[in-house]
Amino acid sequence: IMLHSTLALSLLLIAVASNLAMAIKKEKRAPQTLSRGWGDEITWVQTYEEGLYQAKKSNKPLMVIHHLEDCQYCQALKKAFAENEEIQEMAQNNFVMLNLMHETTDKNLSPDGQYVPRIMFVDPSLTVRADITGRYSNRLYTYEPQDIPFLIENMKKALHLIQTEL
């Protein structure tokens, strides 16, 4: 009977330990849900308000990506964005990052309408940079997968502004 209870206890401990390990692993992976496929190595903020706070605190620009799950253009841009090493590296190190599947109450983030995908930059003085635009005159803040080099230039522009203006 002693052997039986030792075995049962061992199995119980193994079960508890593996559940604990899974819980710890899950805990560590928490930010992944916020990435929504845009880049799992990037630290994403959860809300626009948190993004503004972090931008001010860290003196980094905030990059806001508006997108929707069922939008094919968003999906295509997301794939190109996630696969581009230069973007991922800059996003990890030089920006406060936020991707949103709903609109914010800040009308400055939709100067020419509420379309997706839409990427805007907010500098650490909390000014929405309406001057950093994409290539399309009808949707100023949209990017397509082939516009990734242009998006990289705009990220660099956002970083440069901090050094020159702020």
Side-chain angles (χ1 to χ4, degrees):
I1 242 155
M2 187 69 192
L3 181 69
H4 187 254
S5 59
T6 310
L7 185 64
L9 186 63
S10 303
L11 287 173
L12 181 69
L13 284 175
I14 289 166
V16 168
S18 66
N19 279 346
L20 194 64
M22 275 159 59
I24 289 166
K25 203 177 274 174
K26 207 170 273 163
E27 193 67 39
K28 200 168 162 256
R29 276 187 59 89
Q32 306 315 317
T33 54
L34 291 177
S35 98
R36 299 186 184 95
W38 290 88
D40 286 344
E41 301 303 314
I42 296 169
T43 303
W44 298 90
V45 294
Q46 200 154 3
T47 63
Y48 182 53
E49 293 67 32
E50 185 192 345
L52 293 174
Y53 172 77
Q54 291 294 344
K56 201 177 178 78
K57 197 176 88 166
S58 65
N59 199 38
K60 291 178 179 177
L62 167 64
M63 183 172 178
V64 184
I65 305 171
H66 284 94
H67 64 106
L68 290 170
E69 216 41 71
D70 56 0
C71 154
Q72 67 186 52
Y73 304 103
C74 300
Q75 294 294 351
L77 181 63
K78 179 194 295 191
K79 187 177 185 316
F81 187 98
E83 287 172 359
N84 185 285
E85 282 179 27
E86 192 174 359
I87 285 188
Q88 292 293 308
E89 202 261 335
M90 272 198 288
Q92 284 169 46
N93 300 317
N94 309 109
F95 286 84
V96 175
M97 297 294 295
L98 172 66
N99 72 76
L100 285 177
M101 294 200 288
H102 57 84
E103 286 296 332
T104 62
T105 50
D106 187 347
K107 295 287 167 262
N108 295 313
L109 283 180
S110 49
D112 65 341
Q114 297 188 340
Y115 52 85
V116 290
R118 190 167 87 249
I119 300 179
M120 298 200 69
F121 297 92
V122 184
D123 71 32
S125 76
L126 307 188
T127 305
V128 175
R129 301 306 305 223
D131 53 344
I132 304 181
T133 56
R135 291 194 359 211
Y136 308 98
S137 55
N138 59 336
R139 292 186 164 192
L140 292 175
Y141 307 98
T142 201
Y143 297 85
E144 294 186 354
Q146 66 268 26
D147 303 329
I148 288 292
F150 204 79
L151 179 57
I152 291 170
E153 286 312 305
N154 278 347
M155 289 173 81
K156 289 178 179 168
K157 192 187 284 184
L159 291 172
H160 183 68
L161 285 173
I162 296 172
Q163 290 149 12
T164 55
E165 288 185 17
L166 305 175

